[in-house]
mmCIF file of all heavy atoms in Angstrom:
data_model
loop_
_atom_site.group_PDB
_atom_site.id
_atom_site.type_symbol
_atom_site.label_atom_id
_atom_site.label_comp_id
_atom_site.label_asym_id
_atom_site.label_seq_id
_atom_site.Cartn_x
_atom_site.Cartn_y
_atom_site.Cartn_z
ATOM 1 N N ASP P 1 168.340 109.048 66.791
ATOM 2 C CA ASP P 1 168.128 108.225 65.602
ATOM 3 C C ASP P 1 168.359 106.757 65.949
ATOM 4 O O ASP P 1 167.635 105.864 65.422
ATOM 5 C CB ASP P 1 169.076 108.686 64.450
ATOM 6 C CG ASP P 1 168.650 110.016 63.865
ATOM 7 O OD1 ASP P 1 167.474 110.474 64.088
ATOM 8 O OD2 ASP P 1 169.523 110.653 63.203
ATOM 9 N N GLU P 2 169.348 106.495 66.811
ATOM 10 C CA GLU P 2 169.636 105.130 67.152
ATOM 11 C C GLU P 2 168.476 104.473 67.911
ATOM 12 O O GLU P 2 168.119 103.323 67.660
ATOM 13 C CB GLU P 2 170.898 105.069 68.055
ATOM 14 C CG GLU P 2 171.347 103.620 68.350
ATOM 15 C CD GLU P 2 172.608 103.597 69.191
ATOM 16 O OE1 GLU P 2 173.189 104.659 69.455
ATOM 17 O OE2 GLU P 2 173.043 102.478 69.555
ATOM 18 N N ALA P 3 167.898 105.231 68.837
ATOM 19 C CA ALA P 3 166.762 104.694 69.628
ATOM 20 C C ALA P 3 165.557 104.463 68.709
ATOM 21 O O ALA P 3 164.842 103.420 68.867
ATOM 22 C CB ALA P 3 166.404 105.690 70.732
ATOM 23 N N LYS P 4 165.329 105.353 67.786
ATOM 24 C CA LYS P 4 164.173 105.173 66.801
ATOM 25 C C LYS P 4 164.424 103.933 65.944
ATOM 26 O O LYS P 4 163.482 103.188 65.696
ATOM 27 C CB LYS P 4 164.074 106.427 65.946
ATOM 28 C CG LYS P 4 163.557 107.672 66.701
ATOM 29 C CD LYS P 4 163.543 108.847 65.787
ATOM 30 C CE LYS P 4 163.072 110.081 66.553
ATOM 31 N NZ LYS P 4 163.088 111.324 65.715
ATOM 32 N N LYS P 5 165.667 103.680 65.539
ATOM 33 C CA LYS P 5 165.982 102.548 64.713
ATOM 34 C C LYS P 5 165.809 101.236 65.485
ATOM 35 O O LYS P 5 165.296 100.254 64.924
ATOM 36 C CB LYS P 5 167.438 102.627 64.186
ATOM 37 C CG LYS P 5 167.762 101.573 63.131
ATOM 38 C CD LYS P 5 169.178 101.792 62.560
ATOM 39 C CE LYS P 5 169.454 100.754 61.498
ATOM 40 N NZ LYS P 5 170.832 100.982 60.899
ATOM 41 N N ILE P 6 166.198 101.224 66.772
ATOM 42 C CA ILE P 6 166.029 100.068 67.634
ATOM 43 C C ILE P 6 164.538 99.709 67.750
ATOM 44 O O ILE P 6 164.126 98.561 67.641
ATOM 45 C CB ILE P 6 166.682 100.276 69.001
ATOM 46 C CG1 ILE P 6 168.196 100.309 68.853
ATOM 47 C CG2 ILE P 6 166.254 99.173 69.982
ATOM 48 C CD1 ILE P 6 168.916 100.771 70.108
ATOM 49 N N ALA P 7 163.705 100.768 67.939
ATOM 50 C CA ALA P 7 162.248 100.578 68.112
ATOM 51 C C ALA P 7 161.653 100.045 66.821
ATOM 52 O O ALA P 7 160.848 99.135 66.819
ATOM 53 C CB ALA P 7 161.555 101.891 68.487
ATOM 54 N N GLN P 8 162.052 100.638 65.647
ATOM 55 C CA GLN P 8 161.590 100.197 64.378
ATOM 56 C C GLN P 8 161.920 98.714 64.116
ATOM 57 O O GLN P 8 161.112 97.939 63.648
ATOM 58 C CB GLN P 8 162.075 101.079 63.237
ATOM 59 C CG GLN P 8 161.458 102.416 63.109
ATOM 60 C CD GLN P 8 161.888 103.154 61.870
ATOM 61 O OE1 GLN P 8 162.164 102.517 60.862
ATOM 62 N NE2 GLN P 8 161.842 104.473 61.891
ATOM 63 N N THR P 9 163.195 98.377 64.402
ATOM 64 C CA THR P 9 163.637 96.971 64.187
ATOM 65 C C THR P 9 162.841 96.025 65.056
ATOM 66 O O THR P 9 162.425 94.955 64.579
ATOM 67 C CB THR P 9 165.109 96.893 64.502
ATOM 68 O OG1 THR P 9 165.836 97.775 63.682
ATOM 69 C CG2 THR P 9 165.628 95.466 64.300
ATOM 70 N N ALA P 10 162.534 96.388 66.305
ATOM 71 C CA ALA P 10 161.793 95.516 67.178
ATOM 72 C C ALA P 10 160.377 95.251 66.655
ATOM 73 O O ALA P 10 159.870 94.186 66.644
ATOM 74 C CB ALA P 10 161.718 96.141 68.578
ATOM 75 N N MET P 11 159.728 96.365 66.130
ATOM 76 C CA MET P 11 158.393 96.224 65.559
ATOM 77 C C MET P 11 158.410 95.393 64.292
ATOM 78 O O MET P 11 157.556 94.469 64.117
ATOM 79 C CB MET P 11 157.768 97.610 65.289
ATOM 80 C CG MET P 11 157.399 98.383 66.551
ATOM 81 S SD MET P 11 156.424 99.902 66.174
ATOM 82 C CE MET P 11 157.721 100.992 65.499
ATOM 83 N N GLN P 12 159.377 95.641 63.457
ATOM 84 C CA GLN P 12 159.494 94.856 62.189
ATOM 85 C C GLN P 12 159.672 93.392 62.469
ATOM 86 O O GLN P 12 159.059 92.557 61.824
ATOM 87 C CB GLN P 12 160.602 95.449 61.336
ATOM 88 C CG GLN P 12 160.627 94.944 59.884
ATOM 89 C CD GLN P 12 161.359 93.617 59.772
ATOM 90 O OE1 GLN P 12 162.269 93.346 60.534
ATOM 91 N NE2 GLN P 12 161.024 92.852 58.738
ATOM 92 N N GLN P 13 160.512 93.090 63.365
ATOM 93 C CA GLN P 13 160.839 91.660 63.693
ATOM 94 C C GLN P 13 159.583 90.972 64.280
ATOM 95 O O GLN P 13 159.300 89.799 63.983
ATOM 96 C CB GLN P 13 162.005 91.546 64.644
ATOM 97 C CG GLN P 13 163.329 91.890 64.017
ATOM 98 C CD GLN P 13 164.500 91.934 65.010
ATOM 99 O OE1 GLN P 13 164.329 91.944 66.211
ATOM 100 N NE2 GLN P 13 165.722 91.879 64.456
ATOM 101 N N ARG P 14 158.868 91.688 65.136
ATOM 102 C CA ARG P 14 157.632 91.153 65.746
ATOM 103 C C ARG P 14 156.602 90.835 64.644
ATOM 104 O O ARG P 14 155.981 89.799 64.595
ATOM 105 C CB ARG P 14 157.079 92.062 66.748
ATOM 106 C CG ARG P 14 155.636 91.838 67.221
ATOM 107 C CD ARG P 14 155.461 90.673 68.100
ATOM 108 N NE ARG P 14 154.068 90.413 68.430
ATOM 109 C CZ ARG P 14 153.367 91.105 69.286
ATOM 110 N NH1 ARG P 14 153.908 92.050 70.036
ATOM 111 N NH2 ARG P 14 152.074 90.774 69.537
ATOM 112 N N ILE P 15 156.401 91.806 63.712
ATOM 113 C CA ILE P 15 155.402 91.611 62.643
ATOM 114 C C ILE P 15 155.772 90.488 61.744
ATOM 115 O O ILE P 15 154.944 89.677 61.386
ATOM 116 C CB ILE P 15 155.224 92.950 61.884
ATOM 117 C CG1 ILE P 15 154.688 94.063 62.786
ATOM 118 C CG2 ILE P 15 154.318 92.742 60.688
ATOM 119 C CD1 ILE P 15 154.731 95.440 62.192
ATOM 120 N N GLU P 16 157.069 90.397 61.365
ATOM 121 C CA GLU P 16 157.499 89.282 60.507
ATOM 122 C C GLU P 16 157.287 87.947 61.173
ATOM 123 O O GLU P 16 156.818 87.013 60.536
ATOM 124 C CB GLU P 16 159.010 89.451 60.163
ATOM 125 C CG GLU P 16 159.472 88.350 59.239
ATOM 126 C CD GLU P 16 160.886 88.612 58.672
ATOM 127 O OE1 GLU P 16 161.326 89.743 58.703
ATOM 128 O OE2 GLU P 16 161.497 87.629 58.201
ATOM 129 N N ALA P 17 157.606 87.884 62.431
ATOM 130 C CA ALA P 17 157.396 86.644 63.199
ATOM 131 C C ALA P 17 155.901 86.227 63.200
ATOM 132 O O ALA P 17 155.523 85.105 63.054
ATOM 133 C CB ALA P 17 157.934 86.728 64.605
ATOM 134 N N ASP P 18 155.032 87.258 63.419
ATOM 135 C CA ASP P 18 153.624 86.956 63.456
ATOM 136 C C ASP P 18 153.045 86.594 62.085
ATOM 137 O O ASP P 18 152.150 85.782 62.038
ATOM 138 C CB ASP P 18 152.875 88.221 63.992
ATOM 139 C CG ASP P 18 153.045 88.413 65.477
ATOM 140 O OD1 ASP P 18 153.542 87.465 66.168
ATOM 141 O OD2 ASP P 18 152.697 89.475 65.979
ATOM 142 N N VAL P 19 153.571 87.182 61.030
ATOM 143 C CA VAL P 19 153.164 86.794 59.693
ATOM 144 C C VAL P 19 153.485 85.294 59.452
ATOM 145 O O VAL P 19 152.611 84.577 58.926
ATOM 146 C CB VAL P 19 153.888 87.674 58.600
ATOM 147 C CG1 VAL P 19 153.752 87.029 57.216
ATOM 148 C CG2 VAL P 19 153.280 89.084 58.592
ATOM 149 N N LYS P 20 154.615 84.890 59.824
ATOM 150 C CA LYS P 20 155.012 83.489 59.668
ATOM 151 C C LYS P 20 154.225 82.547 60.610
ATOM 152 O O LYS P 20 153.861 81.427 60.192
ATOM 153 C CB LYS P 20 156.503 83.289 59.887
ATOM 154 C CG LYS P 20 157.381 84.004 58.864
ATOM 155 C CD LYS P 20 158.870 83.875 59.206
ATOM 156 C CE LYS P 20 159.734 84.588 58.217
ATOM 157 N NZ LYS P 20 161.193 84.526 58.616
ATOM 158 N N ARG P 21 153.978 83.014 61.817
ATOM 159 C CA ARG P 21 153.338 82.164 62.838
ATOM 160 C C ARG P 21 151.783 82.085 62.738
ATOM 161 O O ARG P 21 151.198 81.050 62.880
ATOM 162 C CB ARG P 21 153.732 82.648 64.230
ATOM 163 C CG ARG P 21 153.106 81.920 65.387
ATOM 164 C CD ARG P 21 153.481 82.530 66.698
ATOM 165 N NE ARG P 21 153.005 83.911 66.855
ATOM 166 C CZ ARG P 21 151.745 84.202 67.337
ATOM 167 N NH1 ARG P 21 150.934 83.260 67.679
ATOM 168 N NH2 ARG P 21 151.366 85.487 67.425
ATOM 169 N N VAL P 22 151.206 83.248 62.423
ATOM 170 C CA VAL P 22 149.767 83.367 62.447
ATOM 171 C C VAL P 22 149.163 83.356 61.037
ATOM 172 O O VAL P 22 148.205 82.574 60.740
ATOM 173 C CB VAL P 22 149.303 84.665 63.120
ATOM 174 C CG1 VAL P 22 147.796 84.815 63.119
ATOM 175 C CG2 VAL P 22 149.874 84.712 64.546
ATOM 176 N N LEU P 23 149.714 84.177 60.129
ATOM 177 C CA LEU P 23 149.098 84.380 58.796
ATOM 178 C C LEU P 23 149.345 83.193 57.836
ATOM 179 O O LEU P 23 148.392 82.637 57.255
ATOM 180 C CB LEU P 23 149.591 85.678 58.215
ATOM 181 C CG LEU P 23 149.099 86.021 56.785
ATOM 182 C CD1 LEU P 23 147.574 86.170 56.807
ATOM 183 C CD2 LEU P 23 149.729 87.334 56.317
ATOM 184 N N ILE P 24 150.588 82.820 57.621
ATOM 185 C CA ILE P 24 150.937 81.813 56.651
ATOM 186 C C ILE P 24 150.241 80.462 56.888
ATOM 187 O O ILE P 24 149.711 79.880 55.907
ATOM 188 C CB ILE P 24 152.443 81.646 56.530
ATOM 189 C CG1 ILE P 24 153.121 82.956 56.075
ATOM 190 C CG2 ILE P 24 152.796 80.492 55.554
ATOM 191 C CD1 ILE P 24 152.609 83.482 54.719
ATOM 192 N N PRO P 25 150.175 79.942 58.117
ATOM 193 C CA PRO P 25 149.446 78.646 58.294
ATOM 194 C C PRO P 25 147.991 78.795 57.846
ATOM 195 O O PRO P 25 147.424 77.782 57.356
ATOM 196 C CB PRO P 25 149.546 78.455 59.811
ATOM 197 C CG PRO P 25 150.794 79.114 60.198
ATOM 198 C CD PRO P 25 150.876 80.352 59.361
ATOM 199 N N ARG P 26 147.329 79.916 58.054
ATOM 200 C CA ARG P 26 145.981 80.101 57.568
ATOM 201 C C ARG P 26 145.854 79.977 56.064
ATOM 202 O O ARG P 26 144.890 79.476 55.553
ATOM 203 C CB ARG P 26 145.442 81.453 58.007
ATOM 204 C CG ARG P 26 145.160 81.566 59.491
ATOM 205 C CD ARG P 26 144.568 82.974 59.767
ATOM 206 N NE ARG P 26 144.161 83.152 61.187
ATOM 207 C CZ ARG P 26 143.081 83.796 61.508
ATOM 208 N NH1 ARG P 26 142.271 84.362 60.632
ATOM 209 N NH2 ARG P 26 142.762 83.962 62.779
ATOM 210 N N ILE P 27 146.869 80.510 55.372
ATOM 211 C CA ILE P 27 146.864 80.439 53.880
ATOM 212 C C ILE P 27 147.034 79.005 53.388
ATOM 213 O O ILE P 27 146.314 78.547 52.541
ATOM 214 C CB ILE P 27 147.993 81.365 53.310
ATOM 215 C CG1 ILE P 27 147.829 82.767 53.829
ATOM 216 C CG2 ILE P 27 147.958 81.272 51.783
ATOM 217 C CD1 ILE P 27 146.479 83.409 53.575
ATOM 218 N N LYS P 28 147.990 78.296 54.026
ATOM 219 C CA LYS P 28 148.284 76.930 53.602
ATOM 220 C C LYS P 28 147.037 76.036 53.730
ATOM 221 O O LYS P 28 146.801 75.158 52.916
ATOM 222 C CB LYS P 28 149.426 76.336 54.404
ATOM 223 C CG LYS P 28 150.756 76.977 54.099
ATOM 224 C CD LYS P 28 151.870 76.323 54.908
ATOM 225 C CE LYS P 28 153.215 76.886 54.591
ATOM 226 N NZ LYS P 28 154.343 76.303 55.444
ATOM 227 N N GLU P 29 146.253 76.304 54.789
ATOM 228 C CA GLU P 29 145.020 75.496 55.015
ATOM 229 C C GLU P 29 144.010 75.556 53.853
ATOM 230 O O GLU P 29 143.228 74.685 53.645
ATOM 231 C CB GLU P 29 144.382 75.916 56.331
ATOM 232 C CG GLU P 29 145.097 75.514 57.592
ATOM 233 C CD GLU P 29 144.374 76.017 58.836
ATOM 234 O OE1 GLU P 29 143.288 76.655 58.693
ATOM 235 O OE2 GLU P 29 144.931 75.858 59.916
ATOM 236 N N GLN P 30 144.079 76.657 53.112
ATOM 237 C CA GLN P 30 143.102 76.910 52.061
ATOM 238 C C GLN P 30 143.532 76.314 50.706
ATOM 239 O O GLN P 30 142.740 76.305 49.761
ATOM 240 C CB GLN P 30 142.878 78.404 51.852
ATOM 241 C CG GLN P 30 142.394 79.094 53.151
ATOM 242 C CD GLN P 30 142.296 80.613 52.906
ATOM 243 O OE1 GLN P 30 141.968 81.123 51.867
ATOM 244 N NE2 GLN P 30 142.605 81.343 53.964
ATOM 245 N N LEU P 31 144.756 75.802 50.606
ATOM 246 C CA LEU P 31 145.286 75.438 49.313
ATOM 247 C C LEU P 31 145.147 73.932 49.079
ATOM 248 O O LEU P 31 145.055 73.119 49.999
ATOM 249 C CB LEU P 31 146.786 75.841 49.252
ATOM 250 C CG LEU P 31 147.090 77.274 49.481
ATOM 251 C CD1 LEU P 31 148.624 77.519 49.421
ATOM 252 C CD2 LEU P 31 146.393 78.190 48.457
ATOM 253 N N SER P 32 145.179 73.569 47.772
ATOM 254 C CA SER P 32 145.236 72.171 47.374
ATOM 255 C C SER P 32 146.607 71.576 47.783
ATOM 256 O O SER P 32 147.551 72.312 48.021
ATOM 257 C CB SER P 32 145.029 72.044 45.868
ATOM 258 O OG SER P 32 146.152 72.656 45.175
ATOM 259 N N GLU P 33 146.652 70.256 47.816
ATOM 260 C CA GLU P 33 147.871 69.580 48.241
ATOM 261 C C GLU P 33 148.980 69.947 47.214
ATOM 262 O O GLU P 33 150.169 70.087 47.587
ATOM 263 C CB GLU P 33 147.698 68.087 48.300
ATOM 264 C CG GLU P 33 146.781 67.648 49.426
ATOM 265 C CD GLU P 33 147.298 68.078 50.793
ATOM 266 O OE1 GLU P 33 148.508 67.991 51.057
ATOM 267 O OE2 GLU P 33 146.480 68.478 51.635
ATOM 268 N N ALA P 34 148.595 70.057 45.922
ATOM 269 C CA ALA P 34 149.591 70.378 44.912
ATOM 270 C C ALA P 34 150.244 71.723 45.127
ATOM 271 O O ALA P 34 151.417 71.938 44.810
ATOM 272 C CB ALA P 34 148.926 70.323 43.540
ATOM 273 N N ASN P 35 149.496 72.669 45.654
ATOM 274 C CA ASN P 35 150.027 74.028 45.879
ATOM 275 C C ASN P 35 150.631 74.210 47.256
ATOM 276 O O ASN P 35 151.456 75.104 47.504
ATOM 277 C CB ASN P 35 148.922 75.088 45.605
ATOM 278 C CG ASN P 35 148.601 75.220 44.157
ATOM 279 O OD1 ASN P 35 149.472 74.987 43.292
ATOM 280 N ND2 ASN P 35 147.393 75.658 43.843
ATOM 281 N N LYS P 36 150.251 73.381 48.247
ATOM 282 C CA LYS P 36 150.843 73.468 49.580
ATOM 283 C C LYS P 36 152.371 73.160 49.499
ATOM 284 O O LYS P 36 153.141 73.790 50.212
ATOM 285 C CB LYS P 36 150.205 72.508 50.521
ATOM 286 C CG LYS P 36 148.862 72.900 51.037
ATOM 287 C CD LYS P 36 148.309 71.884 52.007
ATOM 288 C CE LYS P 36 146.905 72.293 52.503
ATOM 289 N NZ LYS P 36 146.308 71.255 53.339
ATOM 290 N N VAL P 37 152.719 72.216 48.630
ATOM 291 C CA VAL P 37 154.133 71.832 48.530
ATOM 292 C C VAL P 37 155.043 72.880 47.892
ATOM 293 O O VAL P 37 156.251 72.759 47.907
ATOM 294 C CB VAL P 37 154.280 70.473 47.795
ATOM 295 C CG1 VAL P 37 153.469 69.417 48.425
ATOM 296 C CG2 VAL P 37 153.805 70.622 46.297
ATOM 297 N N LEU P 38 154.438 73.983 47.361
ATOM 298 C CA LEU P 38 155.229 75.029 46.775
ATOM 299 C C LEU P 38 155.932 75.902 47.862
ATOM 300 O O LEU P 38 156.851 76.602 47.553
ATOM 301 C CB LEU P 38 154.357 75.942 45.901
ATOM 302 C CG LEU P 38 153.626 75.205 44.736
ATOM 303 C CD1 LEU P 38 152.698 76.212 44.010
ATOM 304 C CD2 LEU P 38 154.621 74.619 43.736
ATOM 305 N N PHE P 39 155.400 75.792 49.065
ATOM 306 C CA PHE P 39 156.047 76.445 50.204
ATOM 307 C C PHE P 39 157.255 75.668 50.670
ATOM 308 O O PHE P 39 157.341 74.474 50.465
ATOM 309 C CB PHE P 39 155.074 76.611 51.404
ATOM 310 C CG PHE P 39 153.994 77.659 51.208
ATOM 311 C CD1 PHE P 39 152.879 77.416 50.504
ATOM 312 C CD2 PHE P 39 154.184 78.966 51.704
ATOM 313 C CE1 PHE P 39 151.888 78.371 50.351
ATOM 314 C CE2 PHE P 39 153.213 79.920 51.535
ATOM 315 C CZ PHE P 39 152.075 79.608 50.869
ATOM 316 N N GLY P 40 158.184 76.371 51.323
ATOM 317 C CA GLY P 40 159.306 75.663 51.943
ATOM 318 C C GLY P 40 160.634 76.384 51.752
ATOM 319 O O GLY P 40 161.490 76.391 52.640
ATOM 320 N N SER P 41 160.841 77.045 50.628
ATOM 321 C CA SER P 41 162.123 77.715 50.375
ATOM 322 C C SER P 41 161.930 79.196 50.143
ATOM 323 O O SER P 41 162.909 79.913 49.711
ATOM 324 C CB SER P 41 162.813 77.077 49.150
ATOM 325 O OG SER P 41 161.987 77.204 47.967
ATOM 326 N N GLU P 42 160.732 79.723 50.418
ATOM 327 C CA GLU P 42 160.419 81.121 50.128
ATOM 328 C C GLU P 42 161.165 82.047 51.053
ATOM 329 O O GLU P 42 161.366 81.751 52.226
ATOM 330 C CB GLU P 42 158.976 81.390 50.104
ATOM 331 C CG GLU P 42 158.278 81.316 51.491
ATOM 332 C CD GLU P 42 157.891 79.916 51.909
ATOM 333 O OE1 GLU P 42 158.266 78.912 51.236
ATOM 334 O OE2 GLU P 42 157.234 79.756 52.998
ATOM 335 N N LYS P 43 161.478 83.263 50.564
ATOM 336 C CA LYS P 43 162.002 84.330 51.360
ATOM 337 C C LYS P 43 160.838 85.287 51.754
ATOM 338 O O LYS P 43 159.962 85.531 50.940
ATOM 339 C CB LYS P 43 163.072 85.138 50.632
ATOM 340 C CG LYS P 43 164.311 84.347 50.298
ATOM 341 C CD LYS P 43 165.278 85.231 49.523
ATOM 342 C CE LYS P 43 166.539 84.428 49.120
ATOM 343 N NZ LYS P 43 167.469 85.294 48.318
ATOM 344 N N TYR P 44 160.886 85.839 52.979
ATOM 345 C CA TYR P 44 159.858 86.764 53.432
ATOM 346 C C TYR P 44 160.430 88.186 53.476
ATOM 347 O O TYR P 44 161.557 88.402 53.980
ATOM 348 C CB TYR P 44 159.313 86.356 54.770
ATOM 349 C CG TYR P 44 158.408 85.134 54.662
ATOM 350 C CD1 TYR P 44 158.996 83.839 54.779
ATOM 351 C CD2 TYR P 44 157.057 85.228 54.510
ATOM 352 C CE1 TYR P 44 158.178 82.709 54.703
ATOM 353 C CE2 TYR P 44 156.249 84.103 54.407
ATOM 354 C CZ TYR P 44 156.790 82.860 54.507
ATOM 355 O OH TYR P 44 156.002 81.749 54.398
ATOM 356 N N HIS P 45 159.633 89.160 53.011
ATOM 357 C CA HIS P 45 159.995 90.524 53.084
ATOM 358 C C HIS P 45 158.812 91.246 53.742
ATOM 359 O O HIS P 45 157.816 91.603 53.059
ATOM 360 C CB HIS P 45 160.241 91.112 51.683
ATOM 361 C CG HIS P 45 161.205 90.293 50.878
ATOM 362 N ND1 HIS P 45 162.538 90.529 50.858
ATOM 363 C CD2 HIS P 45 161.004 89.210 50.068
ATOM 364 C CE1 HIS P 45 163.134 89.635 50.053
ATOM 365 N NE2 HIS P 45 162.202 88.839 49.567
ATOM 366 N N VAL P 46 158.885 91.448 55.046
ATOM 367 C CA VAL P 46 157.756 91.971 55.814
ATOM 368 C C VAL P 46 158.134 93.405 56.247
ATOM 369 O O VAL P 46 159.145 93.643 56.915
ATOM 370 C CB VAL P 46 157.425 91.082 57.043
ATOM 371 C CG1 VAL P 46 156.315 91.673 57.847
ATOM 372 C CG2 VAL P 46 157.106 89.693 56.610
ATOM 373 N N ASN P 47 157.276 94.380 55.861
ATOM 374 C CA ASN P 47 157.547 95.773 56.091
ATOM 375 C C ASN P 47 159.023 96.107 55.834
ATOM 376 O O ASN P 47 159.754 96.505 56.723
ATOM 377 C CB ASN P 47 157.167 96.160 57.540
ATOM 378 C CG ASN P 47 155.638 96.272 57.727
ATOM 379 O OD1 ASN P 47 154.877 95.803 56.882
ATOM 380 N ND2 ASN P 47 155.202 96.903 58.826
ATOM 381 N N PRO P 48 159.445 95.984 54.584
ATOM 382 C CA PRO P 48 160.859 96.102 54.263
ATOM 383 C C PRO P 48 161.475 97.482 54.578
ATOM 384 O O PRO P 48 162.705 97.532 54.774
ATOM 385 C CB PRO P 48 160.902 95.849 52.754
ATOM 386 C CG PRO P 48 159.668 95.095 52.420
ATOM 387 C CD PRO P 48 158.635 95.565 53.426
#
């Protein structure tokens, strides 16, 4: 169970990092300036 948990954690951390690095910048590019500034203090819940 410990080994499975370590593997799951590694995958989850990689996916969360990629969401922030790859996905979110793409979204911000599509938004108006008024809505871009809404980002900055949000919490991320990736594959919780």
Side-chain angles (χ1 to χ4, degrees):
D1 290 342
E2 184 179 357
K4 291 176 182 177
K5 189 173 181 180
I6 291 171
Q8 284 190 29
T9 300
M11 288 190 288
Q12 191 274 334
Q13 289 176 344
R14 166 74 183 283
I15 296 169
E16 181 170 342
D18 286 348
V19 165
K20 294 176 180 177
R21 177 183 64 86
V22 179
L23 179 61
I24 298 301
R26 289 183 175 218
I27 304 304
K28 290 181 180 179
E29 288 177 4
Q30 302 175 35
L31 303 179
S32 66
E33 292 302 319
N35 287 333
K36 283 180 183 177
V37 301
L38 301 176
F39 285 85
S41 62
E42 70 275 7
K43 296 179 182 177
Y44 287 88
H45 310 268
V46 179
N47 285 14

